[in-house]
Amino acid sequence: MPFIDVKRLSVHDPVQQSHLVANITFSLHRQRCLAVIGESGSGKSTIAKTLIGLISPSLKVDGEIIFDGEKLTTQTVKGWRGKRIGFISQDAMNAFNPIETIGHQMIETFHQHLGLRGKEGELHAIAGLESVHLKNPYQLMKTYPYELSGGMLQRVMIAITMMLSPDVIIADEPTASLDAYNRREVIMQLQRMKEETGAALIVISHDLGVVQAIADELLVMHQGVMLEHGSAAKIFTSPQHPQTKHLLETRLRLSKPLEALRQQNRMEAAPC
Ligand SMILES: Nc1ncnc2c1ncn2[C@@H]1O[C@H](COP(=O)(O)OP(=O)(O)OP(=O)(O)O)[C@@H](O)[C@H]1O
Ligand SMILES: [Mg+2]
């Protein structure tokens, strides 16, 4: 049985009388990574937000989302967010409370979801920050979100998500504001989580170097509908739709330097 089963998912804007996404169907097993690609505005974040229950209440959602055999509803998703479903959002700055320190927010989250108290929570936070290579973690815990760059906040968000060890991780452009070194580190960490904890990953990315390095399956979006869905290797080598072909050609040209990253990941994944 797939871990995530999405059936005929549509999101409709009653004011504009238009669909943000229509008829999205896919399923995903544990330890698998689905990458969602497509041009800007094609509906990628809308799918992610719907899966995590963070879609604007003014929009109407149709279809069915099943997580681990249970139907996702507005009520159930609230309890699952964080511990069962981790979300790394595209907008790191807005993911944090501006008037609380990073440390306070991390410790609070670990207390709420994992029941960690005092020193235990602090050590968990430090371990998380170290795992994403953020320097001086004790100092960093005392800072406020506005004192950190977008890339640093992104890494803090990734650290929190990973330390909660959720069953599903939905990552919306997780590497967008990172440099090449940290991009590679984050990909390797996501991959490690998938292998070690059995998490299912849904990664949205414009960066096809990242997608090639991590995705088992691919979902190609265009103007709110699915163009193609299937094995990532197959779609990369023989895209069926002309629009997919165009997207892959233009995007691959931009992400050529990451070919090295893919090769390196392959080599590291290979048994000695
Ligand atoms: N709350 C909302 N109400 C109405 N329309 C919305 C809302 N949020 C997004 N949209 C529209 O839905 C469409 C899909 O947006 P979405 O953010 O899902 O695209 P995306 O593929 O993630 O784009 P990007 O690559 O730029 O992040 C866009 O036309 C956008 O303007
Ligand atoms: Mg988006």
Side-chain angles (χ1 to χ4, degrees):
M1 188 176 65
F3 194 69
I4 304 170
D5 211 356
V6 175
K7 294 175 187 166
R8 298 175 304 281
L9 179 74
S10 294
V11 178
H12 184 249
D13 181 352
V15 178
Q16 299 289 329
Q17 300 219 335
S18 63
H19 275 95
L20 278 68
V21 296
N23 216 10
I24 307 297
T25 295
F26 67 87
S27 56
L28 192 65
H29 284 85
R30 279 179 177 277
Q31 270 191 328
R32 298 283 289 173
C33 173
L34 170 77
V36 184
I37 64 170
E39 82 277 18
S40 190
S42 58
K44 306 181 298 295
S45 295
T46 303
I47 297 176
K49 284 185 199 155
T50 311
L51 293 178
I52 197 80
L54 291 177
I55 199 82
S56 156
S58 65
L59 301 170
K60 189 174 174 300
V61 179
D62 283 313
E64 206 171 52
I65 303 170
I66 296 166
F67 270 111
D68 202 12
E70 253 184 278
K71 197 170 165 181
L72 184 137
T73 64
T74 320
Q75 282 314 309
T76 53
V77 75
K78 270 190 196 154
W80 294 354
R81 220 181 284 146
K83 182 65 196 96
R84 294 199 70 191
I85 313 173
F87 184 48
I88 299 167
S89 88
Q90 195 170 7
D91 182 9
M93 190 56 93
N94 281 331
F96 290 90
N97 180 344
I99 58 163
E100 298 283 7
T101 63
I102 294 293
H104 178 87
Q105 296 183 59
M106 291 185 84
I107 291 168
E108 187 66 28
T109 305
F110 297 145
H111 173 60
Q112 189 191 338
H113 293 289
L114 305 176
L116 300 183
R117 290 175 183 279
K119 196 76 191 160
E120 254 186 339
E122 193 182 319
L123 290 175
H124 207 64
I126 300 286
L129 295 173
E130 282 173 346
S131 77
V132 291
H133 301 276
L134 282 165
K135 292 200 182 81
N136 305 322
Y138 281 98
Q139 273 311 108
L140 201 144
M141 300 244 294
K142 292 183 192 143
T143 60
Y144 288 86
Y146 71 87
E147 296 178 84
L148 303 184
S149 69
M152 287 172 93
L153 284 176
Q154 187 93 0
R155 278 192 278 163
V156 174
M157 190 160 48
I158 290 167
I160 296 173
T161 305
M162 298 216 277
M163 293 310 277
L164 290 174
S165 196
D167 298 325
V168 180
I169 298 175
I170 300 171
D172 195 351
E173 298 284 358
T175 57
S177 41
L178 304 182
D179 60 27
Y181 173 78
N182 284 302
R183 191 164 27 167
R184 183 173 166 270
E185 286 297 317
V186 164
I187 290 164
M188 287 179 64
Q189 269 156 351
L190 286 172
Q191 220 155 18
R192 219 174 290 141
M193 279 208 66
K194 188 183 85 162
E195 277 146 27
E196 287 171 11
T197 70
L201 292 184
I202 298 180
V203 176
I204 294 168
S205 187
H206 282 291
D207 187 335
L208 295 191
V210 167
V211 171
Q212 281 186 311
I214 197 170
D216 303 300
E217 296 164 33
L218 204 57
L219 195 164
V220 186
M221 292 293 296
H222 178 63
Q223 296 183 350
V225 296
M226 291 166 63
L227 278 189
E228 287 189 51
H229 173 226
S231 142
K234 207 165 159 196
I235 295 178
F236 269 110
T237 48
S238 53
Q240 295 302 303
H241 202 286
Q243 194 65 36
T244 310
K245 226 176 194 167
H246 176 72
L247 183 77
L248 295 182
E249 276 168 11
T250 45
R251 285 278 158 195
L252 275 173
R253 229 176 291 138
L254 293 175
S255 44
K256 264 218 171 109
L258 273 178
E259 176 64 20
L261 175 144
R262 196 171 119 228
Q263 298 294 351
Q264 196 160 358
N265 272 2
R266 275 213 192 118
M267 282 187 315
E268 281 169 17
C272 300

